[in-house]
Amino acid sequence: MTEPDRRRDNLVSNTPPAPYATDGTDFRGALRYHYVVALKKFLKFFPVFLLLWIQLFVFKLDYLLPVGIIGFLGAMWTLMIFGSRMIRVSKCWRIFRVYPLEFRTPVEKYGMESTHTLYLRFGDQGGTPFTLRASNTMLRGRWPAGITDGVWYAGDEPFGGAFIVPGGGELLFQQPKDWAEAEEYRNSAGLERIEKAGRAGIKRPAHFK
């Protein structure tokens, strides 16, 4: 691992305390908050880029073309980011509907990708037999503060899950890092667990990009 990789893997979020309970009693508050944050971030930038794009057609001046292109690209990028955030929060919502929250500790950090993906394992109950990957619903490329002390988790590790980090209240979606590596654990899970995974939308691998 290079020195820049080590520095990136040690990045910790300075997120302030969440405005909702993060003790496993209020997953609805977490979902509402992250939906609202995603919408606010979208409304902060999208109208500006949209105006830059539209003014090109209103004034029809050739020298405004570069500004119009910036507006178009910015609007499309903002839409993509907003859609990605909403999809991740929706995935967590489906999981919380099916699985109860339970406290898991400790959490072992294994690495981070620049694509806002964290690699980790749960150290309780003999330890996770395979590495998990988790994606922050707000696409933050940092480790949530205090994550190694434990999280409130809902799901089934070989299929996937969602968890809330106490304190900052970060919401993350999780699935095995290597879907094929966890295949034997899914095959031996039993019909009830497989059926629950289907209802929670984690029976198949999700795209983390």
Side-chain angles (χ1 to χ4, degrees):
M1 182 182 294
T2 64
E3 189 60 32
D5 288 336
R6 292 192 186 94
R7 287 197 296 268
R8 184 188 66 210
D9 289 344
N10 289 326
L11 289 175
V12 176
S13 174
N14 59 353
T15 307
Y20 52 86
T22 60
D23 58 358
T25 62
D26 189 20
F27 71 82
R28 291 181 179 82
L31 293 170
R32 284 194 300 269
Y33 175 78
H34 284 83
Y35 273 126
V36 170
V37 169
L39 182 60
K40 284 183 177 179
K41 289 180 178 294
F42 172 73
L43 294 177
K44 181 178 180 180
F45 297 102
F46 182 76
V48 177
F49 286 123
L50 186 62
L51 286 174
L52 291 177
W53 180 30
I54 290 177
Q55 55 84 36
L56 181 63
F57 302 98
V58 174
F59 298 107
K60 298 181 180 180
L61 299 174
D62 291 343
Y63 67 82
L64 291 178
L65 180 60
V67 178
I69 293 175
I70 292 174
F72 173 76
L73 295 177
M76 293 302 101
W77 178 253
T78 305
L79 275 172
M80 289 174 58
I81 295 296
F82 176 66
S84 183
R85 286 171 172 158
M86 296 299 284
I87 288 172
R88 282 167 166 78
V89 177
S90 296
K91 288 180 181 295
C92 294
W93 174 73
R94 288 191 66 181
I95 292 167
F96 289 143
R97 288 178 57 200
V98 177
Y99 295 95
L101 283 162
E102 59 178 352
F103 192 68
R104 303 292 297 273
T105 186
V107 176
E108 302 174 8
K109 299 193 295 186
Y110 273 74
M112 177 194 302
E113 279 188 1
S114 58
T115 52
H116 315 287
T117 301
L118 310 177
Y119 296 116
L120 51 90
R121 289 190 182 188
F122 294 131
D124 61 334
Q125 302 173 357
T128 308
F130 45 85
T131 302
L132 310 175
R133 61 177 179 176
S135 176
N136 191 302
T137 56
M138 291 297 105
L139 306 180
R140 297 189 181 106
R142 293 173 179 265
W143 287 99
I147 190 174
T148 55
D149 296 329
V151 298
W152 286 98
Y153 178 80
D156 192 339
E157 291 171 47
F159 297 95
F163 58 88
I164 300 171
V165 183
E170 288 93 340
L171 182 63
L172 294 97
F173 171 73
Q174 166 269 317
Q175 281 196 316
K177 176 185 178 183
D178 188 333
W179 186 259
E181 181 186 359
E183 184 70 26
E184 62 176 295
Y185 299 96
R186 290 191 296 275
N187 290 338
S188 61
L191 292 177
E192 183 179 352
R193 287 174 61 189
I194 293 173
E195 187 272 335
K196 286 182 70 174
R199 285 192 286 122
I202 51 175
K203 194 175 178 179
R204 295 179 176 83
H207 298 289
F208 276 65
K209 302 302 182 182

